Amino acid sequence: MKKRVLSLGLVLALLTAALAGCAGKQNASWKVTCPWAPSGVAAMVSQQAATKSTSYSDTITLVAEAIKGDAATVNTWVADTKANDTQLVFVGEGLLSITSILDPDKLQFGYEDFVFVENLYSSIFVLSADAKLNISSIADLEEYVKQGDEISVAVNGAVGSEAFLAASLFGAMGAGSQLKLTPYQSAAEAAQAVARGETQFAVSHQSQILETYQQGGVTVVCAFDEKAIENGPFAGVEGVGSKGYPYFRNRCFIMARAGTDEKKVAELKELYGKILADKEVADWLHDTMLLEVDTMSVADVEAHIDNVKSIVNQYKDIVAG
Amino acid sequence: MKDQLARLNARLDAIGKRLDEKELRIPVDLVTGVLFALFALVIFQVMPDQVVVSEKDVVNGRAFPTLLMALMLLCCVMLIGKELYKLATRQPLAWKTINLLVEVKALIILLILAGTYFLSRLTGLFVVGGVFCCLGFLLYFRCRKPSYYVITVALAVGIWAAFRFVLGVNF
Amino acid sequence: MLQHIVPASGLLFTLENILWINIGVFIGSVFAAIPGLSVILCVILFLPVTYSMTAIPGMMFLLGIYCAGGYGGSVSAILINTPGTPHAAATMLDGHPLSEQGRTKAALKIALYASTFGGIFSALMLLFLGPQVAKVAAQLGTAEYFMVCVFGLTIIAGVSGKSMIKGLISACLGLLISCVGSDPMTSYDRFTFGIPRLYLGLDLAICLIGLFALVEILAKAEKKPGSLNLDARKIKDDGVITKDEYKRLVRPTIISSIIGVMVGIIPGTGASEASWFSYNTAKNMSKHREEFGHGSVEGIAAAESANNAVTGATLIPLLTLGIPGDGTVAIMLSALMINGLNPGLSLFTTQGDIMYAIMLGLILVNLFMLLQGKFLTSLFAKVVSIPQEILTPIIVIFCFAGAFSVNENYFDVGVALIFGILAWVLRKLELPPVPILLGLVLGSMTETNFRRALLISNGSPGIFFSSAYCIIFLILIIAAVGTIVRGKVLERRAAAKKED
């Protein structure tokens, strides 16, 4: 009996060792960690890219993972990875340009801890207004602001990109003191708030306001971009940049750990490039998610981070008080 | 070996019997009231450090916790007052008997749980903690059936493998 | 609608869909039965599987997990006094005592039947009244949400046990714990004590593991060696539910299903709230109030029918307005979007057949859940006869693995352990743990909506009485408080009579 128990124990130990050994053999698998909600835009795009990766590469398989937690998830990622680990992470302007200024203690990393791989998409936020206000252009908005009444804007999160876009637009119009930002737990909630008249305006991704817009609950006033939106259901909506107001697009960069072999990074960038050139992916991004494919260089990334940082520095008093 | 085990068990039984006879009676409502009143006061004390507020806030981040702690304090005062009234009018207080053997056994279980946690965390391999947990509990229950040891350890390894390789949980 | 039903049925009744429904139902039942492995975590883990599927089988698979998860949580609640998922906590209050009376199979069966009824009821609501109901729900604003939360907090009285004061202390503690983390209105940290991971707040599933599962493990210390394992000879568990019991189940099941649907259509609320509201309502309306907490069949039916009635209802705002009703449904949204479907009323015109196939599929999911559940009940019931020497470490391993899986971090396992110790201390002080759970469930929602409402109204409390919905909720709150006071008076009178 004793022998039987011993041999069984041995078999189990071997099995454990073998299973543990298997874990280290996934050289071609790159885990892409998205630190936001699994139902969010970035997580969905990452998942779509992962699904396509096997069609375009024999050596790299992307494995998408979404662990909600924002800075905490990226802190852990940075602490647990080293150069050349087969791990990638999403980092956006929220962390690199907003949290780094408003709450730097929250971040245990900096831009220098990463090496940029690729940016997959950019999203143009839009400002929507309660349909009863009858505001459908920047000129209407400027007129409305001149009346000097309180301006309430529903945003997703208290100090997110949406809050800063609202603050920069109304701040630049000279109405920073009239502005009241009302934070909601999600973009969908913020969109609904403006539709039922709880706030006058909302800032959201285009896809998040689409249904409310189609049902006539809101009008879409302007887009936070240089020029007017060219395609999709919001084609023709003016860009705030054309009137000289500040703006930025929402972008999420895929990063590897700093020090990762340049060749590997280039290989990953090439793979992402092929995936984004896939018509099915591009159409899906464009038609369903209302996003734009937006590959970038390191210089573009740094310019984007700096642009958002300057907006945050200028308008942080309106947002954070 | 068997004799040694029997002797060890007998000694443990003797200790257990002694502990079982030792009981501690606490005026439970009074203790609860005092403990949580102190807790509420501590929270009030740390609130300025722990909750940053802005002048812009209509209702700031301290309002809700302050309201809660005030309510907790009120409940504690009522609880203490009720017990003191009972004491003054010589009515029986609410007592709770704490058995020392139960607490020592709970402490041993807690040590097994903590051991499982620390072993998993330090080795980075959950399965190590899992196997420790199985052995710890089987020894705690003084299990003498080898088959139970085999089944439990096998299940622990199986659970870990299912999480690790089927669900992709990295531990 | 009728023009879509026939083509939708054609799309739905395929071997592939039926297979995926059954796989989903099985995974959901098993997953939710394991403490710490919540339905949302299960959906997250299996979501990538659906990305290579078309919309209908993908949604059928996820709906299978979602609905069966609603029922699966009750299994561990009944068997080992540990809710597998947060929304099964109310089921535990009566499910486990009934199991301890040797009626494990009956408890599991009641949970299954009630869950199926609730699920099908909400699926029918979705099918026939979806768009109309969603429009009403969309009118509920921040002030109304706050009133719903206050109504929810009145449940504390019902789950406080002997002392309402102690229940309130527990609830305050739970509500305070829900404040830990990033302030939802300002993003500043609160009560994080310099621990970076705490700014995410404490996950409900992790707290639940400590409060209910690990404390049960520590409670093994209270058992004498001879009483650890059940004596199989003494248990005659035939699983029979008597005619009288069936009769008693009808009313709470129907009322709780209605409550479940009403809660489910309000985005942001979920199965946990629904099951507590229903449990409390069933208790207040029952002729056998004294049985609640001691193995009441009505208690199990109320909690289970409500938490499964939420499943169809949360899909109402999703499919009609594009607003996910709860976290799990938000993840399902991506399964639709990845297939190019952007939910909303317009989709009923452009892709009506697919939308109706999904809605009809929900009925099918519940039927398969019943079939699988009937088979699994006997299997699950055997868990109680597993020797404690084996079962105890296995429960611990599942709990720790579940806690780790939530964020893939040992920090959470440590948090679960600390909550286990806290629950042990509270047990010694005779403080009920359920109000803590209620505080955790309702805390963030109550505070956020309270502060946001006052922000909207510039500090005027008049906002809480500003709409017809607010007034309705206010009446409900007054009625609930009235019932509590009346109940306490009756209890005192009964106690005084006994003393005489």
Side-chain angles (χ1 to χ4, degrees):
Chain A
M1 184 67 191
K2 229 179 190 179
K3 271 187 185 173
R4 254 189 246 165
V5 175
L6 272 172
S7 48
L8 249 169
L10 197 67
V11 169
L12 275 171
L14 283 172
L15 193 71
T16 313
L19 288 172
C22 290
K25 285 182 184 170
Q26 296 168 338
N27 291 331
S29 288
W30 284 74
K31 190 159 93 178
V32 190
T33 303
C34 174
W36 304 297
S39 54
V41 172
M44 268 192 260
V45 177
S46 176
Q47 194 57 251
Q48 185 74 289
T51 313
K52 287 278 171 190
S53 66
T54 44
S55 316
Y56 292 103
S57 176
D58 297 329
T59 53
I60 297 173
T61 306
L62 300 172
V63 180
E65 183 185 58
I67 304 174
K68 203 175 161 187
D70 206 26
T73 303
V74 184
N75 282 339
T76 312
W77 187 91
V78 171
D80 292 351
T81 55
K82 52 187 188 305
N84 292 314
D85 277 356
T86 53
Q87 304 256 1
L88 300 170
V89 69
F90 274 85
V91 189
E93 72 263 350
L95 289 175
L96 295 172
S97 307
I98 300 175
T99 312
S100 65
I101 292 173
L102 293 186
D103 201 356
D105 292 345
K106 215 174 246 182
L107 306 182
Q108 290 159 3
F109 59 84
Y111 180 65
E112 63 285 355
D113 288 309
F114 308 103
V115 53
F116 172 69
V117 176
E118 188 53 282
N119 177 58
L120 301 186
Y121 65 87
S122 67
S123 170
I124 303 169
F125 284 107
V126 288
L127 179 79
S128 49
D130 183 350
K132 288 183 207 113
L133 297 176
N134 221 7
I135 300 172
S136 51
S137 67
I138 297 176
D140 292 346
L141 184 68
E142 284 168 336
E143 258 330 287
Y144 182 81
V145 166
K146 270 184 204 160
Q147 292 170 14
D149 296 335
E150 186 181 75
I151 299 157
S152 62
V153 184
V155 288
N156 176 20
V159 289
S161 299
E162 291 96 324
F164 275 96
L165 285 170
S168 64
L169 178 66
F170 290 103
M173 284 182 178
S177 56
Q178 293 161 241
L179 181 65
K180 184 169 79 180
L181 293 169
T182 310
Y184 286 81
Q185 308 288 76
S186 69
E189 265 188 65
Q192 279 301 306
V194 68
R196 63 172 171 260
E198 218 166 74
T199 62
Q200 293 149 341
F201 302 95
V203 179
S204 63
H205 285 284
Q206 293 173 57
S207 60
Q208 287 158 343
I209 198 74
L210 181 63
E211 181 61 28
T212 321
Y213 168 73
Q214 283 173 337
Q215 287 183 33
V218 295
T219 54
V220 174
V221 182
C222 56
F224 290 93
D225 202 22
E226 172 71 49
K227 291 183 235 151
I229 295 175
E230 287 172 6
N231 301 302
F234 299 113
V237 171
E238 292 173 283
V240 295
S242 62
K243 306 272 179 182
Y245 295 114
Y247 66 90
F248 60 85
R249 287 184 178 196
N250 170 235
R251 294 180 168 105
C252 302
F253 315 120
I254 293 179
M255 304 283 206
R257 192 75 166 89
T260 298
D261 183 15
E262 281 177 24
K263 267 189 198 165
K264 263 286 165 236
V265 174
E267 212 178 312
L268 283 161
K269 193 173 173 67
E270 192 189 335
L271 172 61
Y272 273 115
K274 284 178 186 166
I275 292 168
L276 293 173
D278 183 303
K279 197 179 173 312
E280 200 185 316
V281 175
D283 287 349
W284 174 76
L285 274 172
H286 197 263
D287 301 339
T288 307
M289 307 302 290
L290 307 181
L291 304 170
E292 281 180 25
V293 172
D294 190 6
T295 55
M296 289 170 94
S297 66
V298 175
D300 294 335
V301 170
E302 286 170 2
H304 176 73
I305 293 169
D306 289 342
N307 172 40
V308 181
K309 269 186 177 174
S310 73
I311 290 174
V312 172
N313 276 319
Q314 201 175 342
Y315 299 101
K316 66 181 175 193
D317 289 343
I318 297 176
V319 175
Chain B
M1 180 72 181
K2 267 187 183 172
D3 286 349
Q4 276 176 330
L5 207 66
R7 250 181 284 151
L8 180 71
N9 282 341
R11 267 182 70 182
L12 287 173
D13 285 341
I15 296 169
K17 207 178 169 190
R18 274 207 304 274
L19 286 172
D20 200 20
E21 284 159 5
K22 286 183 184 164
E23 284 182 343
L24 187 73
R25 262 161 51 92
I26 54 163
V28 65
D29 285 0
L30 204 61
V31 171
T32 306
V34 172
L35 260 177
F36 279 89
L38 286 174
F39 174 78
L41 291 173
V42 169
I43 295 294
F44 277 131
Q45 199 65 33
V46 299
M47 193 102 69
D49 277 342
Q50 290 297 317
V51 186
V52 180
V53 291
S54 147
E55 282 177 19
K56 244 183 87 179
D57 301 335
V58 175
V59 183
N60 69 37
R62 282 182 206 159
F64 193 61
T66 304
L67 189 79
L68 293 174
M69 289 304 97
L71 181 61
M72 187 186 267
L73 212 53
L74 182 74
C75 290
C76 290
V77 169
M78 282 167 73
L79 210 56
I80 295 167
K82 215 168 113 186
E83 289 302 286
L84 289 179
Y85 174 76
K86 278 185 188 170
L87 206 65
T89 55
R90 298 194 177 177
Q91 289 179 55
L93 297 184
W95 289 95
K96 168 94 180 170
T97 307
I98 307 271
N99 182 286
L100 216 56
L101 177 66
V102 170
E103 299 313 311
V104 170
K105 281 163 77 180
L107 191 68
I108 296 169
I109 295 175
L110 183 63
L111 288 174
I112 299 171
L113 297 179
T116 307
Y117 165 67
F118 283 113
L119 270 174
S120 307
R121 187 176 188 148
L122 295 174
T123 59
L125 265 177
F126 185 78
V127 69
V128 177
V131 170
F132 169 82
C133 178
C134 295
L135 298 177
F137 274 106
L138 287 162
L139 290 172
Y140 168 82
F141 288 125
R142 294 191 194 173
C143 177
R144 289 182 188 174
K145 294 177 182 167
S147 59
Y148 279 20
Y149 283 81
V150 176
I151 293 167
T152 321
V153 172
L155 281 171
V157 176
I159 294 166
W160 168 74
F163 272 78
R164 175 73 184 83
F165 300 106
V166 180
L167 302 178
V169 178
N170 198 9
F171 63 175
Chain C
M1 185 180 111
L2 284 173
Q3 77 272 22
H4 290 295
I5 296 287
V6 176
S9 304
L11 288 172
L12 177 67
F13 291 100
T14 66
L15 193 64
E16 186 194 9
N17 289 338
I18 287 166
L19 192 70
W20 281 114
I21 288 175
N22 279 288
I23 295 171
V25 165
F26 182 75
I27 291 174
S29 313
V30 175
F31 231 78
I34 299 169
L37 294 186
S38 55
V39 183
I40 191 163
L41 184 68
C42 184
V43 171
I44 290 170
L45 285 169
F46 287 96
L47 180 71
V49 178
T50 64
Y51 285 151
S52 52
M53 299 181 198
T54 51
I56 298 173
M59 277 301 281
M60 288 304 108
F61 175 56
L62 294 178
L63 284 175
I65 294 175
Y66 184 44
C67 293
Y71 155 69
S74 67
V75 173
S76 52
I78 291 166
L79 298 178
I80 55 171
N81 205 22
T82 301
T85 50
H87 57 249
T91 313
M92 177 184 72
L93 297 187
D94 287 297
H96 189 65
L98 195 62
S99 171
E100 281 187 326
Q101 290 163 24
R103 301 191 62 199
T104 307
K105 267 191 205 167
L108 287 169
K109 271 188 181 175
I110 293 167
L112 177 67
Y113 297 158
S115 294
T116 309
F117 182 86
I120 293 177
F121 180 82
S122 69
L124 291 171
M125 289 296 283
L126 169 68
L127 190 63
F128 293 108
L129 294 172
Q132 293 85 342
V133 172
K135 276 181 189 163
V136 175
Q139 292 306 312
L140 299 181
T142 301
E144 288 83 0
Y145 273 62
F146 173 71
M147 299 304 265
V148 171
C149 294
V150 175
F151 176 63
L153 288 172
T154 60
I155 298 167
I156 292 166
V159 291
S160 290
K162 286 181 212 157
S163 164
M164 178 111 86
I165 297 177
K166 284 188 158 184
L168 275 172
I169 292 176
S170 286
C172 286
L173 188 64
L175 289 162
L176 182 76
I177 294 168
S178 76
C179 292
V180 173
S182 192
D183 180 344
M185 296 297 287
T186 63
S187 259
Y188 288 128
D189 291 354
R190 290 193 299 181
F191 305 111
T192 54
F193 299 93
I195 303 165
R197 281 224 63 103
L198 273 185
Y199 91 76
L200 287 177
L202 295 164
D203 194 283
L204 183 60
I206 291 161
C207 300
L208 201 72
I209 290 174
L211 281 176
F212 295 99
L214 295 182
V215 78
E216 278 299 313
I217 301 293
L218 288 170
K220 303 280 177 213
E222 289 172 345
K223 298 210 165 165
K224 300 279 175 204
S227 65
L228 263 175
N229 291 315
L230 290 170
D231 187 346
R233 287 165 302 180
K234 283 185 189 167
I235 304 167
K236 216 184 104 191
D237 188 8
D238 47 14
V240 170
I241 304 166
T242 62
K243 258 189 186 173
D244 179 50
E245 283 174 331
Y246 272 121
K247 273 186 197 165
R248 281 175 57 190
L249 294 180
V250 174
R251 195 166 71 158
T253 306
I254 294 172
I255 293 173
S256 302
S257 298
I258 297 168
I259 293 174
V261 168
M262 283 164 66
V263 172
I265 53 166
I266 305 172
T269 53
S272 293
E273 288 88 346
S275 59
W276 286 116
F277 289 176
S278 304
Y279 182 84
N280 203 41
T281 310
K283 187 179 174 182
N284 288 336
M285 293 176 77
S286 173
K287 284 178 191 162
H288 305 273
R289 287 184 66 172
E290 71 290 347
E291 284 182 17
F292 278 74
H294 305 285
S296 163
V297 289
E298 293 168 63
I300 303 171
E304 279 306 303
S305 51
N307 67 37
N308 264 61
V310 165
T311 54
T314 49
L315 290 174
I316 295 176
L318 175 83
L319 297 180
T320 56
L321 303 173
I323 310 164
D326 69 10
T328 315
V329 171
I331 295 160
M332 284 188 211
L333 170 70
S334 56
L336 288 173
M337 290 188 81
I338 214 103
N339 280 295
L341 301 172
N342 222 334
L345 278 180
S346 47
L347 207 61
F348 279 82
T349 330
T350 55
Q351 303 278 3
D353 296 352
I354 293 180
M355 297 300 264
Y356 279 97
I358 290 169
M359 292 195 282
L360 284 173
L362 192 62
I363 299 173
L364 207 58
V365 164
N366 280 287
L367 291 174
F368 279 113
M369 183 182 84
L370 178 69
L371 288 176
Q372 281 200 26
K374 280 199 84 132
F375 168 73
L376 289 172
T377 298
S378 321
L379 212 67
F380 283 142
K382 289 200 169 71
V383 170
V384 286
S385 52
I386 295 174
Q388 285 297 318
E389 292 91 327
I390 295 174
L391 194 61
T392 307
I394 297 307
I395 292 172
V396 173
I397 291 169
F398 269 126
C399 288
F400 278 17
F404 181 90
S405 310
V406 174
N407 290 311
E408 296 221 356
N409 203 298
Y410 278 110
F411 178 82
D412 293 331
V413 184
V415 170
L417 201 52
I418 289 167
F419 268 83
I421 298 167
L422 173 74
W424 181 252
V425 174
L426 297 181
R427 195 181 176 107
K428 296 289 141 183
L429 296 175
E430 293 176 350
L431 280 160
V434 177
I436 299 185
L437 175 67
L438 264 177
L440 286 167
V441 169
L442 294 171
S444 173
M445 203 171 133
T446 309
E447 186 194 6
T448 310
N449 286 296
F450 174 67
R451 287 171 64 191
R452 194 190 294 133
L454 289 177
L455 176 69
I456 292 165
S457 69
N458 289 323
S460 163
I463 190 170
F464 299 118
F465 316 99
S466 60
S467 73
Y469 295 113
C470 279
I471 303 294
I472 292 171
F473 285 122
L474 191 69
I475 292 167
L476 283 174
I477 293 164
I478 293 168
V481 173
T483 315
I484 293 161
V485 173
R486 187 174 155 261
K488 291 285 164 193
V489 170
L490 288 176
E491 261 174 41
R492 278 202 186 161
R493 273 189 202 159
K497 254 188 191 174
K498 240 186 189 180
E499 271 177 27
D500 291 344

